[in-house]
Amino acid sequence: IIYLIGPTMGDVFQFMLGGQKKWTDGLNGSGLLDAMPPHLKYEVKKVEEVVHFKNGATIWLQSAESPQFRGPEPDTIWGDEVLKWRYGETLISNLRLAARAVGKVKSQCLFTASPKRVKLLRDIVMDPDTLTIRSVTDENRGNVDPDWVDRERRRLDGTRQGLEELDGELGLDEETDMFKLGLI
């Protein structure tokens, strides 16, 4: 059982689940259903917020607008834009409790976000069981306008926002900070 959890249900359907390549004006969409091989057959049940695949796999869809997590024990969780979650710390704690091993399958959580200097993200990254993968905007040049990348590089190079948004760096406390994040 897979769970997709985004800031809102609209985000889950549009950006995580996808399946509507027309949203991207002829470009390939980036949601899970956009990336599925054509031979995999599925049925999206919007009212039940679930996707059933003919091979027996199930994807449950949930919004992060509530701190509660109830449902079948997941073996895989993808939480997107976790820093936009209204109840981030509580929901992530509940997800971790729910992601206990099911049979021989070890549960896994994937949390995706642009790095920001906030406690929630630092707690996730600093957990010894967390594997952190950092990506930079330049690695995505084939999917975005190269002129945009060049413009944003010129505009944001050398700034904290540039380090976060373009280089995927989780900002560290700086000597000039009056209050260190750990103290706050």
Side-chain angles (χ1 to χ4, degrees), residues 1-4 43 48-61 72 74-76:
I1 294 175
I2 300 169
Y3 268 89
L4 302 187
E43 179 183 5
E48 292 90 357
E49 298 171 343
V50 67
V51 180
H52 293 289
F53 289 83
K54 300 297 180 200
N55 67 3
T58 304
I59 297 176
W60 292 80
L61 311 172
D75 51 57
T76 305

Side-chain angles (χ1 to χ4, degrees), residues 14 39 55 61 64 72 102 119 125-126 131-132 144 157-158 167:
Q14 184 173 359
H39 70 274
N55 67 3
L61 311 172
V102 179
K119 183 181 181 313
V125 170
M126 297 304 289
L131 170 65
T132 301
V144 295
D157 261 350
D167 296 325

Side-chain angles (χ1 to χ4, degrees), residues 12-21 23 30-34:
V12 172
F13 276 105
Q14 184 173 359
F15 302 116
M16 298 175 75
L17 189 61
Q20 299 291 325
K21 292 181 183 182
W23 288 338
S30 59
L32 285 180
L33 297 181
D34 297 320

Side-chain angles (χ1 to χ4, degrees), residues 113-175:
S114 293
K116 300 284 181 218
R117 290 174 20 141
V118 296
K119 183 181 181 313
L120 174 62
L121 186 58
R122 290 215 181 175
D123 288 349
I124 293 170
V125 170
M126 297 304 289
D127 183 317
D129 291 329
T130 296
L131 170 65
T132 301
I133 300 173
R134 186 177 67 89
S135 181
V136 298
T137 298
D138 292 319
E139 294 172 334
N140 198 25
R141 272 189 179 268
N143 298 309
V144 295
D145 179 2
D147 292 336
W148 174 86
V149 175
D150 294 339
R151 256 190 330 273
E152 293 308 301
R153 274 267 167 233
R154 284 191 306 273
R155 184 174 76 88
L156 296 174
D157 261 350
T159 67
R160 181 174 287 167
Q161 186 179 18
L163 285 172
E164 292 172 349
E165 294 294 334
L166 301 178
D167 296 325
E169 291 285 342
L170 179 58
L172 302 173
D173 289 331
E174 297 175 6
E175 296 259 339

Side-chain angles (χ1 to χ4, degrees), residues 23-120:
W23 288 338
T24 57
D25 295 327
L27 299 173
N28 289 332
S30 59
L32 285 180
L33 297 181
D34 297 320
M36 292 283 173
H39 70 274
L40 284 180
K41 303 299 179 202
Y42 58 86
E43 179 183 5
V44 178
K45 296 189 173 188
K46 280 194 167 189
V47 174
E48 292 90 357
E49 298 171 343
V50 67
V51 180
H52 293 289
F53 289 83
K54 300 297 180 200
N55 67 3
T58 304
I59 297 176
W60 292 80
L61 311 172
Q62 181 170 329
S63 160
E65 294 167 299
S66 166
Q68 299 302 314
F69 178 80
R70 297 291 181 260
E73 292 178 2
D75 51 57
T76 305
I77 296 169
W78 173 24
D80 190 36
E81 296 292 354
V82 295
L83 301 184
K84 294 181 180 180
W85 290 9
R86 183 173 181 185
Y87 303 100
E89 288 186 36
T90 303
L91 183 53
I92 287 175
S93 177
N94 288 338
L95 291 171
R96 287 180 167 180
L97 289 170
R100 50 196 176 264
V102 179
K104 295 181 181 180
V105 176
K106 184 175 181 178
S107 299
Q108 297 185 18
C109 299
L110 168 69
F111 297 119
T112 51
S114 293
K116 300 284 181 218
R117 290 174 20 141
V118 296
K119 183 181 181 313
L120 174 62

